Amino acid sequence: MAVHVCILWKNPFKNDLIKNNESVGRREGEVMSILTFKGGVHPFEGKDMSKNKPIMDLEPVGELVFPVSQHIGAPAVPVVEVGDKVLAGTLIAKASGFISANVHSSVSGVVKKIEPRMVAAGNKVLSIIVENDGLYEEEPIKNYIPWDKMTKENIRELVKAAGIVGMGGAGFPTNVKLTPKNEEDIDTIIINGAECEPYLTSDYRRMIEQPEILIGGLKVMLTLFDKAKGYIAVEDNKRDAIVKLAQLAKQEPKIEIKTLYTKYPQGGERALIYAVTGRKVNSSMLPADVGCIVNNVDTAFAIFKGVIEQKPLIQRIVTVSGDAVVNPGNFRVRIGTNTKEVVKAAGGFKKIPEKMISGGPMMGTAIYDLDIPITKGSSAITCFLKDTVSHVKQTNCINCGRCASVCPGRVLPSKLAKFAQQGDREMFEKYNGMECCECGCCSYICPAKRNLTQSIKSMRKDILASKKK
């Protein structure tokens, strides 16, 4: 089904203008379509700071902190006690429900404490603290199952056992996503390689350095759904990754590479599904309701490791970037590592930054202290010399409509923010406030510099909390 957006844009390889869904002739191995959605913005990318920096391994020292809640859903329950010896890959906290995820130690050492520790969200979470012995001895694989002997149930159980969650930030347990109620209706699996968030390049480096494993992870997922076809969707500012993946996909009849127009939030789940399939997903739906499953690049990598190699999720790639960082780069980091160590590996700061963010500048979480652990959802640490937002003065809305023009959810952010500030839940819901994806486009484009996204996000959070009650 074709996407019906008709915005004209400039083809970087030709001199003519084309509509964003027509086939584009590119270099050999790169004949694809340019796909996008209605709305979005073009913030400064900032990717040149780290995109050409190969992934570097970082081995931590001292203690590592493992929050038992690094995912959406019920916290995991500790299964170790203070004084226990653990290895890299030892299960230290077990999933406590259907929507929950296992937590494993990423190093060998001794359990030092089990106590609440601060995380990026600014709250304290019960955590297991392991003193790293520096040996990195690994937990042996038990009851190894060869790939050619696996059933679909084996695959799902291995994904669950490995503690894999969505690593793009949401942290939804992946085994749950791979176990939809309507399994027979799933015909599309999308790997989100857009990486539209400014400054982030961790997924790009995965695609450049380990494309075979990414393809392998997608193939594992495809075995679960008999009717499904796989798509790896990548923005067209990553042309070398597109070419490399397209060459590998030539040998895979059920896998295609889709080229996305570079625009934020092109990697948002709803926007991505619409761009690739033309199908619409609203706030009351799941991707599976339109026959789709979407996973992040690093998640696909973890699925390959968890199923084929039967190793748990204990590492991830983290981008450290921003104008305050001496040597921005991409690091393979063990879960639980102190964020201070990761920033130190990037050379530390030129000067004390005014703004530090866990994640990217559009949807990341502002942090005031680096003394927090890297978790499964820690995609980046971005640090800036100036906190531009805090110095901006808000003025009255001038009713220009720019916020509505860029909104991927096709709502009216200025009205929704007003209802949120007034506490008018009825009007907020009437004007489809729950369709906001909290991407920040409206706040970014607003000439009056109003905190539109923050107001809407707070109201959505209150409504969702009240509905749970």
Side-chain angles (χ1 to χ4, degrees):
M1 185 175 183
V3 183
H4 300 295
V5 185
C6 294
I7 299 172
L8 295 178
W9 64 282
K10 190 73 173 177
N11 176 1
F13 296 96
K14 294 186 177 183
N15 293 322
D16 57 316
L17 287 170
I18 61 171
K19 293 183 179 180
N20 40 350
N21 287 308
E22 294 177 0
S23 181
V24 181
R26 294 197 167 193
R27 294 173 291 191
E28 184 178 355
E30 198 183 359
V31 179
M32 303 155 208
S33 298
I34 304 298
L35 307 171
T36 192
F37 64 98
K38 184 74 172 178
V41 294
H42 297 270
F44 173 68
E45 289 186 11
K47 295 182 184 289
D48 286 343
M49 290 185 176
S50 59
K51 69 175 293 186
N52 295 320
K53 303 289 184 67
I55 297 168
M56 295 180 61
D57 288 304
L58 172 62
E59 299 296 10
V61 296
E63 66 178 33
L64 281 82
V65 176
F66 302 93
V68 298
S69 184
Q70 301 182 38
H71 51 269
I72 290 174
V77 177
V79 292
V80 292
E81 297 179 352
V82 173
D84 285 355
K85 167 76 175 177
V86 297
L87 303 174
T90 298
L91 178 69
I92 57 176
K94 187 175 179 61
S96 62
F98 180 60
I99 303 180
S100 187
N102 291 339
V103 179
H104 302 79
S105 177
S106 63
V107 297
S108 56
V110 176
V111 177
K112 188 177 177 182
K113 298 176 183 176
I114 300 177
E115 63 184 19
R117 288 290 183 94
M118 191 70 70
V119 296
N123 60 308
K124 288 190 174 182
V125 173
L126 182 67
S127 302
I128 299 166
I129 292 84
V130 174
E131 185 69 33
N132 180 13
D133 62 14
L135 300 176
Y136 304 106
E137 297 176 285
E138 295 188 0
E139 183 78 33
I141 298 172
K142 300 172 184 176
N143 304 316
Y144 180 82
I145 306 172
W147 170 244
D148 59 357
K149 303 292 185 184
M150 283 188 199
T151 64
K152 291 182 180 180
E153 189 59 33
N154 290 148
I155 293 172
R156 291 187 171 103
E157 283 300 319
L158 286 167
V159 170
K160 179 179 180 180
I164 300 170
V165 303
M167 295 169 73
F172 192 82
T174 303
N175 68 291
V176 178
K177 189 178 286 190
L178 296 178
T179 314
K181 294 179 181 178
N182 55 333
E183 179 182 322
E184 65 284 352
D185 295 334
I186 302 299
D187 61 11
T188 303
I189 298 178
I190 303 171
I191 301 300
N192 182 358
E195 200 166 45
C196 61
E197 181 79 42
Y199 292 90
L200 274 62
T201 56
S202 56
D203 285 347
Y204 168 75
R205 293 310 311 179
R206 277 284 200 210
M207 291 186 284
I208 287 294
E209 296 184 38
Q210 297 171 306
E212 298 88 353
I213 295 182
L214 173 57
I215 294 282
L218 177 52
K219 288 172 69 175
V220 169
M221 286 182 269
L222 286 170
T223 62
L224 297 173
F225 305 99
D226 299 331
K227 301 176 184 178
K229 189 166 183 178
Y231 302 93
I232 302 177
V234 187
E235 283 191 333
D236 62 354
N237 62 352
K238 306 173 185 68
R239 290 176 288 176
D240 47 355
I242 291 170
V243 172
K244 187 168 285 194
L245 289 165
Q247 289 170 345
L248 291 173
K250 282 181 179 179
Q251 313 302 320
E252 306 294 340
K254 295 183 70 175
I255 296 177
E256 288 185 22
I257 312 304
K258 293 291 186 179
T259 303
L260 305 170
Y261 178 49
T262 299
K263 178 172 61 173
Y264 178 86
Q266 185 72 79
E269 194 168 62
R270 294 185 215 168
L272 184 65
I273 290 171
Y274 182 75
V276 174
T277 69
R279 302 169 191 173
K280 295 182 179 180
V281 181
N282 62 38
S283 63
S284 64
M285 301 168 66
L286 295 172
D289 294 330
V290 294
C292 297
I293 287 176
V294 180
N295 272 311
N296 168 265
V297 164
D298 231 7
T299 307
F301 183 92
I303 288 172
F304 181 90
K305 290 287 186 179
V307 174
I308 303 301
E309 299 183 10
Q310 290 165 41
K311 293 183 177 180
L313 173 56
I314 61 173
Q315 293 179 319
R316 69 155 300 134
I317 309 301
V318 179
T319 298
V320 182
S321 192
D323 62 5
V325 178
V326 172
N327 187 25
N330 302 284
F331 301 88
R332 185 179 289 105
V333 181
R334 292 178 183 263
I335 306 300
T337 300
N338 193 291
T339 301
K340 286 181 180 178
E341 289 191 53
V342 188
V343 172
K344 183 179 179 181
F349 297 132
K350 300 171 186 175
K351 288 170 40 179
I352 296 176
E354 283 191 3
K355 187 81 166 185
M356 300 186 296
I357 303 170
S358 175
M362 294 299 288
M363 292 191 74
T365 301
I367 54 177
Y368 60 87
D369 190 353
L370 293 176
D371 190 18
I372 55 174
I374 295 295
T375 62
K376 297 175 185 180
S378 302
S379 58
I381 303 295
T382 46
C383 305
F384 302 98
L385 294 173
K386 297 293 182 183
D387 182 0
T388 307
V389 175
S390 68
H391 295 300
V392 168
K393 182 179 179 181
Q394 293 187 56
T395 58
N396 293 329
C397 174
I398 60 173
N399 296 313
C400 65
R402 293 183 190 178
C403 59
S405 71
V406 301
C407 177
R410 316 316 300 156
V411 296
L412 301 173
S414 60
K415 277 188 174 294
L416 293 175
K418 181 179 179 181
F419 297 143
Q421 290 160 4
Q422 294 172 344
D424 192 336
R425 173 174 168 173
E426 182 180 349
M427 290 300 290
F428 184 88
E429 293 194 79
K430 180 180 177 180
Y431 276 79
N432 298 315
M434 301 311 289
E435 296 307 310
C436 170
C437 64
E438 302 176 8
C439 65
C441 286
C442 54
S443 294
Y444 174 83
I445 206 71
C446 178
K449 306 303 179 187
R450 299 176 66 211
N451 293 327
L452 301 171
T453 305
Q454 292 88 330
S455 298
I456 296 169
K457 183 176 182 178
S458 295
M459 177 60 85
R460 289 184 77 252
K461 185 177 180 180
D462 289 345
I463 291 173
L464 289 171
S466 65
K467 287 182 177 180
K468 284 182 181 179
K469 292 179 182 178

